[in-house]
Amino acid sequence: MHIIRDYQFIDPSDRGAAVAIGNFDGVHLGHQAVIDVVRKIADDNGSTLGILTFEPHPREYFAPDAPAFKLMSAEAKANRLEKLGVKHLYQLNFNAALSALNAREFARDVIHEALGLTHVVVGADFCFGKDRKGTAQDLIAYGAEFGFGVTIAELIKDGEQVFSSTAIRNALTDGRPEDAANMLGHWHRIEGPVISGDQRGRELGYPTANISIDGLHPPKYGVYAVTVDILDGPSMGRYFGAASIGERPTFGVYKPNLEVFLFDFHADIYGANISVALIDYQRPELKFDALEPLIVQMDLDCVQARNTLNEMYNAGL
C-alpha cells in the first residue's frame, strides 16, 4: 500500500484511483462495507482501490485540547486498511490551507486536478469543505461538472443500530470489548512501540511491555485478557497475556498507559512495535496499600486471563 500525504505533490502512478472518503476511525464493519462498494467499482472500471482520509483528524485540528476520541492511531489505521486490500491511502495532511478550501474548491483542486480520482464513495451524511458546508448531493453535482463518479453508500446497521465509531467508543468505555469487536469485525487493538517504563513490574515478578495511549480514546481502566502480536524483530508472533490500562494509582503515577505481561515470554522487546487486542475485561483498576496484596491479585488476574484465552483458543475463536 502506498501512503500519500500531500495532494500537491502527486506521482502520476498515484492518480486515478476509486476511493471512499471519510475518517475510518476503527475501520469498523460499516467502513468495511463501504470499502467493498469501492472495491467493486474499482474492479469494474479498472482503477485501483483507495481511501481518502485526513491526519490529523479535523476534530483534533480544530479542538486540540478536547478529550482524546480516536480509536486507533494513523499507523494502526494504515495497517488495518492494508489488510483489507487498499492500494492507495491518501492520508492528507489536514492544515490551514486544506481546511480553507470550500466544497467546490476541494472537489476541483483535490479530487479532480490533484488526485485525478475516477470515482468517490461517501456516506449519506458526508460533509466537506470549509465550515462543512458541502453535502453529499453537492458532491454529486461537482462530480458531474468535473468528470468523476459519485456513489452514496447506505448506512450499515446491525438490527436497529448503525455501526459507528461512537457506539464502539461507548462499548469500550463500559468495559465491553466483545461488543466493540462485534461492531468492528475484529478485536479492538492498541498498537505502538514498546517504551521504557519504571520497571516496577520486573521487581514484582511480572515484567511488562508498556505502550502509550496518548491521543487515543481510553478503554475502561482495569485488567484485560489480551493477545499480543509482536510486529517486528526476532520475537515476531502472537502471544497470550494480561494487560492493565489505567493510571497506576498504587504507585501514584496517574498518567494513563497500557502495560502488558506476556505469558511464558522472556525476550527483550523494547522498541518493537506490538499490537494488543482487548479480549475480555476482568476487573476495574484498584489501588493497593501494599505490594503483597497487589502481587496476589496479579497472580489471580493471570490465571483468569489464561483460562479465558485458552477457552477462546479451544473454541476456535
Side-chain angles (χ1 to χ4, degrees), residues 15-20 35-50 88 90 116-121 147-151:
R15 291 172 51 84
V19 309
I35 292 171
D36 286 340
V37 171
V38 185
R39 192 190 319 277
K40 185 177 187 311
I41 292 169
D43 289 343
D44 289 346
N45 68 17
S47 301
T48 55
L49 172 60
H88 287 86
Y90 303 96
L117 302 179
T118 60
H119 203 105
V120 298
V121 177
F148 57 85
V150 178
T151 295

Coordinates of all heavy atoms in Angstrom, one line a residue, residues 15-20 35-50 88 90 116-121 147-151:
R15 N -2.4 8.6 -9.3 CA -3.6 9.2 -9.7 C -4.6 8.2 -10.2 O -4.2 7.1 -10.5 CB -3.3 10.3 -10.8 CG -2.6 11.5 -10.3 CD -2.2 12.4 -11.5 NE -3.3 12.7 -12.4 CZ -4.1 13.6 -12.3 NH1 -4.1 14.4 -11.2 NH2 -5.1 13.8 -13.2
G16 N -5.9 8.5 -10.3 CA -6.8 7.7 -11.0 C -7.5 6.6 -10.2 O -8.1 5.7 -10.8
A17 N -7.4 6.6 -8.9 CA -8.0 5.6 -8.0 C -9.5 5.8 -7.9 O -10.0 6.9 -8.1 CB -7.3 5.5 -6.7
A18 N -10.2 4.8 -7.5 CA -11.5 4.9 -6.9 C -11.4 4.8 -5.4 O -10.8 3.9 -4.9 CB -12.4 3.8 -7.5
V19 N -12.0 5.8 -4.7 CA -11.8 5.9 -3.3 C -13.1 6.1 -2.5 O -14.1 6.5 -3.0 CB -10.9 7.1 -2.9 CG1 -9.6 7.1 -3.8 CG2 -11.6 8.4 -3.1
A20 N -13.0 5.7 -1.2 CA -14.0 6.1 -0.2 C -13.4 7.2 0.6 O -12.2 7.2 0.9 CB -14.4 4.9 0.7
I35 N -15.9 0.1 1.9 CA -14.7 -0.3 1.1 C -15.1 -1.4 0.1 O -14.5 -1.4 -1.0 CB -13.6 -0.8 2.1 CG1 -13.1 0.4 2.9 CG2 -12.5 -1.5 1.3 CD1 -12.2 0.0 4.1
D36 N -16.0 -2.3 0.4 CA -16.4 -3.3 -0.5 C -17.1 -2.7 -1.7 O -17.0 -3.2 -2.8 CB -17.3 -4.4 0.2 CG -16.6 -5.3 1.1 OD1 -15.3 -5.4 0.9 OD2 -17.2 -5.9 2.0
V37 N -17.9 -1.6 -1.5 CA -18.5 -0.9 -2.6 C -17.5 -0.3 -3.5 O -17.6 -0.5 -4.7 CB -19.5 0.2 -2.0 CG1 -20.0 1.1 -3.2 CG2 -20.6 -0.4 -1.3
V38 N -16.5 0.3 -2.9 CA -15.4 0.9 -3.7 C -14.6 -0.2 -4.5 O -14.2 0.0 -5.6 CB -14.5 1.8 -2.9 CG1 -13.5 2.5 -3.7 CG2 -15.3 2.7 -2.0
R39 N -14.4 -1.3 -3.8 CA -13.6 -2.4 -4.4 C -14.3 -2.8 -5.7 O -13.6 -3.0 -6.7 CB -13.5 -3.5 -3.4 CG -12.5 -4.6 -3.9 CD -12.6 -5.8 -3.0 NE -12.8 -5.5 -1.6 CZ -11.8 -5.2 -0.7 NH1 -10.6 -5.2 -1.1 NH2 -12.1 -5.0 0.5
K40 N -15.6 -3.0 -5.7 CA -16.3 -3.4 -6.9 C -16.3 -2.4 -8.0 O -16.1 -2.7 -9.2 CB -17.8 -3.8 -6.5 CG -18.6 -4.3 -7.7 CD -20.0 -4.7 -7.4 CE -20.7 -5.4 -8.5 NZ -20.5 -4.7 -9.8
I41 N -16.4 -1.1 -7.6 CA -16.3 0.0 -8.6 C -14.9 0.0 -9.2 O -14.8 0.1 -10.4 CB -16.7 1.3 -7.9 CG1 -18.1 1.3 -7.5 CG2 -16.3 2.5 -8.9 CD1 -18.5 2.5 -6.7
A42 N -13.9 -0.1 -8.4 CA -12.5 -0.1 -8.9 C -12.3 -1.3 -9.8 O -11.7 -1.2 -10.9 CB -11.5 -0.2 -7.7
D43 N -12.8 -2.5 -9.5 CA -12.6 -3.6 -10.3 C -13.4 -3.4 -11.7 O -12.9 -3.8 -12.7 CB -13.2 -4.9 -9.6 CG -12.3 -5.4 -8.5 OD1 -11.1 -4.9 -8.4 OD2 -12.8 -6.1 -7.7
D44 N -14.6 -2.8 -11.6 CA -15.4 -2.7 -12.8 C -14.8 -1.7 -13.8 O -14.9 -1.8 -15.0 CB -16.8 -2.2 -12.4 CG -17.6 -3.4 -11.8 OD1 -17.1 -4.5 -11.9 OD2 -18.6 -3.1 -11.2
N45 N -14.1 -0.6 -13.2 CA -13.6 0.4 -14.2 C -12.1 0.4 -14.3 O -11.5 1.3 -14.9 CB -14.1 1.8 -13.7 CG -13.5 2.3 -12.4 OD1 -12.5 1.8 -11.9 ND2 -14.1 3.4 -11.8
G46 N -11.5 -0.6 -13.8 CA -10.0 -0.8 -13.9 C -9.2 0.1 -13.1 O -8.0 0.4 -13.5
S47 N -9.7 0.7 -12.0 CA -9.0 1.6 -11.2 C -8.4 0.8 -10.0 O -8.7 -0.4 -9.8 CB -9.9 2.7 -10.6 OG -10.5 3.4 -11.6
T48 N -7.5 1.5 -9.2 CA -7.0 0.9 -8.0 C -7.9 1.3 -6.8 O -8.6 2.4 -6.9 CB -5.6 1.3 -7.7 OG1 -5.5 2.7 -7.7 CG2 -4.6 0.7 -8.8
L49 N -7.9 0.5 -5.8 CA -8.7 0.7 -4.6 C -8.0 1.7 -3.7 O -6.9 1.5 -3.3 CB -9.0 -0.6 -3.9 CG -9.7 -0.5 -2.5 CD1 -11.1 0.1 -2.6 CD2 -9.8 -1.9 -2.0
G50 N -8.7 2.8 -3.3 CA -8.1 3.8 -2.4 C -9.0 4.3 -1.3 O -10.2 4.1 -1.4
H88 N -4.0 2.5 -2.3 CA -3.6 3.9 -2.2 C -4.3 4.5 -1.0 O -5.5 4.5 -1.0 CB -3.9 4.7 -3.4 CG -3.0 4.4 -4.6 ND1 -3.3 3.4 -5.5 CD2 -1.9 5.0 -5.0 CE1 -2.3 3.3 -6.4 NE2 -1.5 4.3 -6.2
Y90 N -4.7 7.9 0.7 CA -4.5 9.4 0.6 C -4.7 9.9 2.0 O -5.9 10.3 2.3 CB -5.4 10.0 -0.4 CG -5.2 9.4 -1.8 CD1 -6.1 8.4 -2.3 CD2 -4.2 9.9 -2.7 CE1 -5.9 7.9 -3.5 CE2 -4.1 9.3 -3.9 CZ -4.9 8.3 -4.4 OH -4.8 7.8 -5.6
G116 N -6.9 13.2 -9.5 CA -7.5 12.6 -10.6 C -8.3 11.4 -10.4 O -8.3 10.4 -11.1
L117 N -9.1 11.4 -9.3 CA -9.9 10.3 -8.9 C -11.0 10.0 -9.9 O -11.6 10.9 -10.4 CB -10.5 10.5 -7.5 CG -9.5 10.8 -6.4 CD1 -10.3 11.0 -5.1 CD2 -8.5 9.7 -6.2
T118 N -11.2 8.7 -10.2 CA -12.2 8.3 -11.1 C -13.6 8.2 -10.5 O -14.6 8.4 -11.2 CB -11.9 7.0 -11.8 OG1 -11.8 6.0 -10.7 CG2 -10.5 7.0 -12.5
H119 N -13.6 7.9 -9.2 CA -14.9 7.7 -8.5 C -14.7 7.8 -7.0 O -13.7 7.4 -6.5 CB -15.4 6.3 -8.8 CG -16.9 6.1 -8.7 ND1 -17.8 6.0 -9.7 CD2 -17.7 6.1 -7.5 CE1 -19.0 5.9 -9.3 NE2 -19.0 5.9 -8.0
V120 N -15.7 8.4 -6.4 CA -15.6 8.6 -4.9 C -16.9 8.0 -4.3 O -18.0 8.2 -4.9 CB -15.4 10.0 -4.5 CG1 -14.1 10.5 -5.0 CG2 -16.5 10.9 -4.9
V121 N -16.8 7.4 -3.2 CA -17.9 6.9 -2.4 C -17.9 7.5 -1.1 O -16.9 7.6 -0.4 CB -17.8 5.3 -2.3 CG1 -19.0 4.8 -1.4 CG2 -17.8 4.7 -3.6
G147 N -16.2 15.5 -13.9 CA -15.9 14.3 -14.5 C -15.5 13.1 -13.7 O -14.8 12.2 -14.2
F148 N -15.9 13.0 -12.4 CA -15.7 11.8 -11.6 C -17.0 11.3 -11.1 O -18.0 12.1 -10.9 CB -14.7 12.1 -10.4 CG -15.1 13.2 -9.5 CD1 -16.0 13.0 -8.4 CD2 -14.6 14.5 -9.6 CE1 -16.4 14.0 -7.5 CE2 -15.0 15.5 -8.8 CZ -15.9 15.3 -7.7
G149 N -17.1 10.0 -10.9 CA -18.3 9.4 -10.5 C -18.5 9.5 -9.0 O -17.5 9.6 -8.2
V150 N -19.7 9.5 -8.5 CA -20.0 9.6 -7.1 C -21.1 8.6 -6.7 O -22.1 8.5 -7.4 CB -20.5 11.0 -6.7 CG1 -20.9 11.1 -5.2 CG2 -19.5 12.1 -7.0
T151 N -20.8 7.8 -5.6 CA -21.8 6.9 -5.1 C -22.1 7.2 -3.6 O -21.1 7.5 -2.9 CB -21.3 5.5 -5.2 OG1 -21.2 5.1 -6.6 CG2 -22.3 4.5 -4.6

